[in-house]
Structures are given as C-alpha cells and as structure tokens.
Amino acid sequence: MSPAAITFDDSLWPLLISRFRGTASDACFEAYLEQGAAYLRRGELYVSILDMGKLNLPSASQRQRQQEWLSVQKQAMRERVIGCAFLLDSPIIRLGLSTIFHLVPMPSPYVAVSSMSAGALWASQRLAEHGLLEASHRVRRHFGLELAGEDARSG
C-alpha cells in the first residue's frame, strides 16, 4: 500500500488543488497546515479544490488542529480565498467536515462536489466573478469545460 500523502498542485494558480490520500501522520498533517498558511501569506486571491475522495478519517487531534488553524487563519482566508470546493465521496468525511464548520464556520464561500470537473467549473466561476478571467478560461480549458463558442475562437 502506498504511503499517505497530502499534495498541492498550484500549476493553474490562482487555482490551488490539494489532494488527500490515505491516513496522514500528525507530522504530514502539520506540514499540510503550514503549506496552507504559506499560500495565504502570498497575499494573492485564489480558489481552492480539496480532493478528499481518498482520505481516511483524520484523527481527533488532527480535526482539533484543523479547527485551531481555521480560527487563526480566518481573516486571511476571508481576504484571499475566494472559494473552496470540497470533492467528497465519503459520508463520514462529509460529517467530519460539517462538524468542523459548525464549530468554526468556513470564512470563505464553499461547496461540496462529487467530481473534479464540477469543482473546476465552480472554481472557474469564482475566478470570473472576481475579475480573474484569464485564469478562469485557463482552468476551463485545462479541465475541458469550454463554453459554447469558445472552441471556434481558440482553433
């Protein structure tokens, strides 16, 4: 079995994709939180897709750390994160996330989606709403979400 991992893909920045696989160690989870804070420190607007489709339930201590982190980072998130799409297919993970957000409300708009393309479409809409049109189009092209008529112009 492959080791647990939390990876970041910012190749489509200002879209950040975080992928969660397996059960993260406490050290891996702390590194994830620190990297998340580093993205916030950039001071740039961005939208995030968190792919939690292969995530095992985080430990109670990790859920507590996530709540603490959200409390500390809520102002930065409110100012910089224009949205988060959570790709979820586990009812247990959905419940855990719901519990965290009940205790510490998510400071930016969010949506739960069942596919990466649905998350990318939502993210591209958020980018467009904030005037980041080139980034919105780049995300749509990357995920094959072209609007009617765009294919003819891009040929």
Side-chain angles (χ1 to χ4, degrees):
M1 177 159 198
S2 62
I6 302 172
T7 59
F8 293 91
D9 177 357
D10 61 9
S11 63
L12 292 170
W13 187 263
L15 169 63
L16 174 63
I17 301 172
S18 306
R19 291 183 176 88
F20 300 79
R21 301 292 181 258
T23 303
S25 67
D26 287 345
C28 179
F29 194 78
E30 285 298 324
Y32 153 72
L33 294 176
E34 179 50 41
Q35 183 61 48
Y39 282 110
L40 289 169
R41 286 191 298 271
R42 285 185 174 190
E44 301 171 13
L45 292 179
Y46 69 96
V47 64
S48 185
I49 298 174
L50 292 96
D51 178 357
M52 300 176 150
K54 304 246 186 278
L55 173 68
N56 293 336
L57 186 63
S59 68
S61 64
Q62 290 171 351
R63 292 191 305 271
Q64 177 64 36
R65 277 293 295 130
Q66 182 72 59
Q67 289 173 18
E68 293 166 1
W69 187 90
L70 279 171
S71 292
V72 168
Q73 300 295 341
K74 68 181 170 188
Q75 186 60 37
M77 288 185 69
R78 191 175 291 122
E79 294 170 0
R80 297 178 188 103
V81 180
I82 59 177
C84 291
F86 294 93
L87 176 54
L88 304 165
D89 60 7
S90 164
I92 293 172
I93 300 298
R94 201 177 283 260
L95 177 62
L97 200 59
S98 210
T99 301
I100 289 171
F101 292 161
H102 178 73
L103 298 170
V104 181
M106 186 71 175
S108 36
Y110 68 95
V111 65
V113 297
S114 58
S115 70
M116 182 59 75
S117 60
L121 179 59
W122 188 82
S124 73
Q125 291 166 343
R126 297 295 300 158
L127 290 166
E129 288 168 11
H130 284 80
L132 300 167
L133 299 178
E134 190 279 327
S136 174
H137 291 305
R138 195 165 17 97
V139 168
R140 285 178 179 268
R141 280 191 306 274
H142 180 82
F143 287 96
L145 304 169
E146 306 298 338
L147 293 174
E150 284 187 9
D151 290 333
R153 288 194 304 271
S154 66

